[in-house]
């Protein structure tokens, strides 16, 4: 049995490399065998994760954080999922004072939840799709890429559970296919292929 201490978030400021190492250790410790400990620690972990994301961390930390959240929900269950998705949507809705990296991190969390939980996030699909459509209008290249990657994961995870939001997702893909950036066009093509599958 694993101890509960490994699921206690670190206190104070951590350097990015130390934070990434802690997230990697957490990722390896998060297994079905540690379900009981993880279930107890999950609310505190989620609060800490969302705090990390709202500070606008770099890409490796955002990816690892999103992966840990998706994996945790897959093991423990979806008890805190609605709160987490709501807080992520609040970050995405934020005006200009919210860094685009924080918005990208919130989208990555939603994508990780869609990937690991599938249709369990379908009750939130319409709100998520609406905010993704608004976020795609941003002039920020990286944000457009994350929106399209999130669209891809949502379509693959939810399938027809997206419902009427598929039209909005299609608009994002269609606009992305004619974007001036090659990276955005490639991400849009991958999202479009996911829609076809």
């Amino acid at each position: 049995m694993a101890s509960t201490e490994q699921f206690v978030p670190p206190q104070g400021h951590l350097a990015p490399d130390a934070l990434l190492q802690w997230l990697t250790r957490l990722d390896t410790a998060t297994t079905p065998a540690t379900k009981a400990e993880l279930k107890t620690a999950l609310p505190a972990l989620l609060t800490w994760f969302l705090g990390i994301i709202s500070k606008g961390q770099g890409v490796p930390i955002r990816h690892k954080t999103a992966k840990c959240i998706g994996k945790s929900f897959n093991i423990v269950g979806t008890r805190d999922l609605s709160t987490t998705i709501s807080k992520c949507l609040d970050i995405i809705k934020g005006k200009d004072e919210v860094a685009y990296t924080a918005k990208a991190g919130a989208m990555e969390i939603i994508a990780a939840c869609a990937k690991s939980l599938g249709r369990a996030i379908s009750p939130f699909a319409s709100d998520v799709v609406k905010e993704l459509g608004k976020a795609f209008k941003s002039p920020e290249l990286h944000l457009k890429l994350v929106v399209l990657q999130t669209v891809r994961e949502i379509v693959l995870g939810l399938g027809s559970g997206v419902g009427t939001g598929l039209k909005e997702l299609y608009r994002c893909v269609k606009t992305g296919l004619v974007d001036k950036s090659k990276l955005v066009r490639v991400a849009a093509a991958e999202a479009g292929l996911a829609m076809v599958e």
Side-chain angles (χ1 to χ4, degrees):
M1 277 310 247
S3 67
T4 310
E5 290 97 35
Q6 65 190 354
F7 297 116
V8 176
Q11 300 298 315
H13 176 72
L14 286 180
D17 57 341
L19 181 59
L20 196 56
Q21 288 174 356
W22 188 83
L23 287 168
T24 303
R25 280 196 310 272
L26 178 68
D27 187 29
T28 55
T30 306
T31 62
T34 60
K35 181 178 179 177
E37 294 86 0
L38 183 60
K39 194 171 195 173
T40 304
L42 191 61
L45 273 175
L46 289 173
T47 303
W48 186 77
F49 282 146
L50 290 169
I52 290 293
I53 289 296
S54 63
K55 290 178 185 169
Q57 296 292 334
V59 175
I61 292 174
R62 288 195 324 253
H63 283 317
K64 190 61 84 172
T65 302
K67 183 179 177 187
C68 287
I69 289 176
K71 193 173 180 182
S72 298
F73 278 131
N74 197 17
I75 291 171
V76 173
T78 59
R79 184 182 68 183
D80 297 316
L81 181 65
S82 64
T83 307
T84 304
I85 298 282
S86 296
K87 288 181 181 176
C88 287
L89 287 173
D90 289 342
I91 293 172
I92 295 170
K93 288 177 191 176
K95 300 295 180 199
D96 295 334
E97 70 269 3
V98 177
Y100 79 89
T101 53
K103 291 181 181 187
M107 289 179 208
E108 288 184 28
I109 289 174
I110 291 172
C113 289
K115 184 176 184 175
S116 58
L117 300 173
R119 289 184 178 246
I121 71 159
S122 60
F124 315 102
S126 62
D127 294 333
V128 169
V129 167
K130 183 175 82 173
E131 294 307 320
L132 288 177
K134 288 179 184 176
F136 188 74
K137 295 174 184 166
S138 167
E140 191 65 48
L141 171 69
H142 185 73
L143 198 58
K144 286 183 179 183
L145 287 172
V146 176
V147 167
L148 290 168
Q149 291 164 353
T150 305
V151 165
R152 180 180 180 276
E153 293 300 331
I154 285 174
V155 169
L156 289 175
L158 271 69
S160 62
V162 176
T164 59
L166 199 57
K167 186 175 180 180
E168 182 67 36
L169 296 180
Y170 175 74
R171 267 192 224 123
C172 291
V173 170
K174 186 174 130 182
T175 307
L177 286 171
V178 295
D179 195 83
K180 63 183 175 185
S181 168
K182 185 176 184 179
L183 292 172
V184 173
R185 291 193 308 264
V186 169
E190 289 175 352
L193 284 173
M195 288 180 158
V196 171
E197 293 173 3

